[in-house]
């Protein structure tokens, strides 16, 4: 592959992963009432379903960034996306709120592996004069995911089920990997 193809592939992968992980973060909030009814849980336990993902992602971001510097960005990125995709499936088949919370913790850790390395991969692939543009595209993907999550999450939950929010991540995760 030539340099242009490598750059566009890196940008596509980084942007898609930058979209899907915040989408997951924001779409789950719409599904919480439905999850609460199915699992017969209170508001405190439900809040941990959303918070566990965010907390795990925030806590593990710096350590995974350091591990990426030591062992390689691509390896950590692929491991993180694999983890994110697997835990999306496991979250979809959860049979209780505590089980879902545990899987969300691992899902958050997987997403932090992608976040810790995605931008660094773009910076290493693009020359300095193009970095501002590609980083802007990747950041726009983050905010698009955050913005689209509640709307499309609501549509998905309304027409299918809350489990579909997790299942929709699987084809995207496989495509990214």
């Amino acid at each position: 592959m030539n340099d242009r193809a490598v750059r566009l592939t890196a940008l596509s992968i980084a942007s898609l992963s930058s979209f899907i992980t915040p989408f997951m973060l924001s779409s789950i909030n719409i599904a919480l009432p439905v999850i609460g009814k199915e699992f017969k849980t209170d508001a405190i336990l439900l809040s941990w379903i959303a918070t566990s993902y965010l907390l795990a992602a925030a806590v593990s971001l710096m350590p995974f960034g350091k591990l990426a510097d030591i062992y390689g960005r691509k390896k950590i990125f692929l491991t993180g996306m694999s983890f994110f995709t697997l835990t999306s499936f496991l979250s979809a088949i959860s049979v209780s709120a505590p089980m879902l919370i545990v899987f969300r913790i691992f899902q958050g850790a997987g997403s932090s592996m992608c976040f810790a390395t995605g931008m660094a991969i773009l910076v290493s692939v693009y020359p300095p004069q193009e970095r501002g543009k590609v980083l802007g595209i990747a950041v726009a993907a983050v905010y698009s995911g955050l913005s689209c999550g509640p709307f499309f999450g609501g549509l998905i939950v309304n027409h299918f089920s809350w489990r579909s929010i997790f299942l929709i991540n699987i084809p995207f995760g496989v495509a990214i990997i």
Side-chain angles (χ1 to χ4, degrees), residues 91-142:
S91 295
I93 62 170
S94 294
V95 295
S96 68
M99 179 185 269
L100 181 57
I101 291 168
V102 168
F103 292 141
R104 292 280 291 163
I105 290 169
F106 289 114
Q107 190 181 39
S111 74
S112 74
M113 291 172 140
C114 297
F115 259 61
T117 56
M119 299 297 178
I121 289 171
L122 287 178
V123 168
S124 68
V125 171
Y126 278 88
Q129 62 271 19
E130 294 182 46
R131 288 182 188 155
K133 178 177 71 175
V134 296
L135 291 177
I137 292 169
V139 169
V142 171

Side-chain angles (χ1 to χ4, degrees), residues 30-39 46 157 161-162:
I30 301 300
L32 289 177
V34 178
I35 295 170
K37 282 183 185 175
E38 183 174 328
F39 291 148
L46 278 178
V157 169
S161 75
W162 66 267

Side-chain angles (χ1 to χ4, degrees), residues 29-175:
N29 292 323
I30 301 300
L32 289 177
V34 178
I35 295 170
K37 282 183 185 175
E38 183 174 328
F39 291 148
K40 297 174 181 52
T41 59
D42 61 356
I44 294 170
L45 194 58
L46 278 178
S47 70
W48 276 105
I49 292 171
T51 306
S52 60
Y53 176 90
L54 187 59
L55 191 60
V59 167
S60 58
L61 190 63
M62 294 299 284
F64 285 132
K66 182 65 175 171
L67 286 174
D69 290 339
I70 296 169
Y71 296 108
R73 294 178 188 119
K74 184 177 177 182
K75 184 182 289 186
I76 298 298
F77 181 88
L78 288 173
T79 302
M81 188 50 63
S82 300
F83 226 66
F84 180 83
T85 305
L86 174 65
T87 54
S88 291
F89 173 73
L90 294 173
S91 295
I93 62 170
S94 294
V95 295
S96 68
M99 179 185 269
L100 181 57
I101 291 168
V102 168
F103 292 141
R104 292 280 291 163
I105 290 169
F106 289 114
Q107 190 181 39
S111 74
S112 74
M113 291 172 140
C114 297
F115 259 61
T117 56
M119 299 297 178
I121 289 171
L122 287 178
V123 168
S124 68
V125 171
Y126 278 88
Q129 62 271 19
E130 294 182 46
R131 288 182 188 155
K133 178 177 71 175
V134 296
L135 291 177
I137 292 169
V139 169
V142 171
Y143 287 105
S144 297
L146 284 171
S147 301
C148 292
F151 177 75
F152 289 111
L155 285 175
I156 291 167
V157 169
N158 191 35
H159 292 293
F160 302 104
S161 75
W162 66 267
R163 296 174 191 278
S164 299
I165 291 176
F166 294 103
L167 293 174
I168 201 165
N169 292 329
I170 296 170
F172 288 111
V174 169

